[in-house]
Amino acid sequence: ELLPLRQLASSARNVRRHYFTGQGLGYGHPQGEEALRRRIAARMLHVGRQVDAGELVITNGCMDAIQLCLRAVAQPGDIIITESPTFTCYLQLIEQLGLMALEIPTDPQNGIDLGLLEEALFNGAWRRNRVAACLFNPTFHNPLGFEMPVERKRALVEMLAAHHIPLIEDDVYGELHFGPVRPTPLKCFDSRGLVLYCSSYSKTLAPDFRVGWIVAGRFREQIVRLKFNSSIAQGKLPQLVVADFLESGQYDRHLRRLRAALNHQVSSTARAIAHY
């Protein structure tokens, strides 16, 4: 009920006028439609630097983005470090790809235990397998809900960069903040192209469109190749509808209404728990 149904329908009508003519039904670009990538790139000032549309790869939602990142940086038998607890589907995906999860205890306010993480990275004597990457959800974590403090985010990125370990960041909830400023993602502190930033419009705009994306850093070529070999290209119609909606300028107004509604729901739930 909180989704912008009328506005999305208007964008769909705009796209329909030219989509079903000429080359509209042909295959799209393996990286995704340029119009959408430009719009996403223009909105990504929160990562602390200008993002070029050429860095972006459009995916089938955020989970597709994460699986492409895992395949790009890891081989069967490698270790993927995760938070504990973490999103169940991460663990299922890691297992399905023939990888192993190493879970690090995570505090419901401060995030992953950086001391134990560093100990796990330094102490390789007890394990025979390579730590290939980390997979973290530091902003509005699923299931704990915390936002990792910004200085701990910086320390986390610097620690992993010192070990040359890629970091896959799931920032699918970043736009749903209740405060005046969008939380800083891990990607903001990435100076070596080792943070693979993943997000989507599934939680904010249209779950069924399955429009996600990766800012892939130094791994862009591997991810584009994997994307092409697995699905050739992403369906253009949902991408073009989202691009039109973003161009209309309505997305920020929608986000303001959505954040206010979610803030009210969270407050109501907290009051109910306290009362009952």
Side-chain angles (χ1 to χ4, degrees):
E1 294 175 359
L2 298 177
L3 299 180
L5 306 179
R6 180 175 56 82
Q7 297 91 332
L8 285 172
S10 175
S11 288
R13 287 191 295 271
N14 293 340
V15 170
R16 184 183 62 187
R17 295 190 184 103
H18 57 83
Y19 178 77
F20 291 102
T21 61
Q23 299 299 313
L25 293 175
Y27 288 118
H29 193 284
Q31 279 185 246
E33 292 304 291
E34 185 177 0
L36 176 60
R37 288 187 283 120
R38 285 200 310 266
R39 293 296 169 188
I40 294 174
R43 293 188 56 85
M44 293 200 64
L45 295 177
H46 60 274
V47 303
R49 63 177 178 83
Q50 184 175 356
V51 173
D52 187 86
E55 296 181 69
L56 291 163
V57 180
I58 303 300
T59 62
N60 186 36
C62 195
M63 281 302 295
D64 183 45
I66 291 170
Q67 70 89 11
L68 287 169
C69 291
L70 287 171
R71 292 170 61 198
V73 302
Q75 299 294 325
D78 286 347
I79 292 171
I80 306 297
I81 294 180
T82 69
E83 297 141 324
S84 181
T86 192
F87 182 35
T88 303
C89 290
Y90 292 168
L91 301 177
Q92 294 173 345
L93 179 58
I94 289 168
E95 181 182 36
Q96 181 181 354
L97 293 175
L99 307 169
M100 295 187 292
L102 174 59
E103 301 177 69
I104 302 296
T106 299
D107 181 80
Q109 292 186 347
N110 293 316
I112 193 166
D113 188 314
L114 296 181
L116 290 178
L117 174 60
E118 189 163 27
E119 182 180 329
L121 296 174
F122 271 117
N123 185 7
W126 54 269
R127 51 178 167 78
R128 298 170 57 186
N129 300 68
R130 177 180 73 110
V131 173
C134 296
L135 171 55
F136 297 146
N137 173 208
T139 303
F140 312 136
H141 177 269
N142 184 359
L144 295 180
F146 64 83
E147 177 192 345
M148 191 176 192
V150 66
E151 287 307 314
R152 292 178 64 84
K153 288 182 177 179
R154 184 193 303 273
L156 171 61
V157 173
E158 291 175 352
M159 178 193 303
L160 294 177
H163 292 277
H164 308 288
I165 293 177
L167 195 168
I168 302 168
E169 177 180 15
D170 181 350
D171 192 36
V172 73
Y173 299 108
E175 294 276 29
L176 299 179
H177 60 93
F178 298 159
V181 180
R182 192 194 196 284
T184 303
L186 299 175
K187 184 67 179 177
C188 183
F189 306 110
D190 179 29
S191 60
R192 302 187 184 182
L194 286 169
V195 176
L196 298 92
Y197 177 94
C198 303
S199 190
S200 86
Y201 289 110
S202 295
K203 310 301 182 187
T204 60
L205 190 58
D208 190 55
F209 280 8
R210 310 307 300 138
V211 174
W213 69 91
I214 309 168
V215 182
R218 64 172 67 179
F219 304 99
R220 185 188 67 86
E221 290 186 9
Q222 297 100 303
I223 288 173
V224 171
R225 185 169 62 250
L226 287 167
K227 177 70 178 174
F228 182 81
N229 290 337
S230 62
S231 60
I232 300 180
Q234 199 73 19
K236 291 191 295 184
L237 185 56
Q239 295 182 67
L240 294 172
V241 173
V242 172
D244 184 89
F245 182 82
L246 296 176
E247 186 177 7
S248 73
Q250 298 182 88
Y251 186 52
D252 285 310
R253 290 195 293 274
H254 160 64
L255 283 178
R256 286 193 291 271
R257 291 192 295 266
L258 180 60
R259 291 168 187 152
L262 295 177
N263 192 5
H264 174 73
Q265 290 179 3
V266 169
S267 298
S268 298
T269 302
R271 287 195 300 270
I273 290 171
H275 178 74
Y276 293 106

